[in-house]
Amino acid sequence: MPRARAGGGLVLTSRSALPHPGHYLTFIEPATRELTTLGVPGFKEELDVYVADGELRADHAFWLFGLPFLVLRYRIRRKPARAASEAEPPA
């Protein structure tokens, strides 16, 4: 569920009061081509995207059955443009 972040930014979360929040594993059975979807109970995550000190950043937190187990912190930078002399020749 997306929501605005206080002070600017965006939060994407599966921690909500929605009736069926969370994660789902979906696959197509190769033999029958039937679609199967299974809930992954107890797994929640939240992605908090914001600007700090002129940089785009994100904190990505994970919970398993309500217990926090991992937080990844990202600094997101634009990939430098290649100079014209570095461009690959057309195929």
Side-chain angles (χ1 to χ4, degrees):
M1 178 164 75
R3 69 174 187 261
R5 183 181 196 275
L10 173 69
V11 175
L12 300 173
T13 185
S14 62
R15 300 177 78 196
S16 78
L18 292 173
H20 302 289
H23 293 267
Y24 297 86
L25 173 64
T26 302
F27 63 94
I28 297 172
E29 183 65 43
T32 64
R33 305 297 297 158
E34 289 183 14
L35 181 69
T36 301
T37 300
L38 303 169
V40 182
F43 185 81
K44 306 286 183 199
E45 71 180 306
E46 187 166 282
L47 184 61
D48 183 4
V49 182
Y50 57 97
V51 174
D53 300 324
E55 285 187 316
L56 182 60
R57 296 186 184 186
D59 297 335
H60 197 172
F62 301 86
W63 293 263
L64 193 56
F65 297 106
L67 299 172
F69 73 92
L70 178 66
V71 176
L72 302 172
R73 299 188 189 284
Y74 307 104
R75 290 182 178 190
I76 304 162
R77 296 183 182 99
R78 184 179 298 275
K79 184 176 179 178
R82 283 204 237 178
S85 62
E86 296 179 71
E88 294 180 22

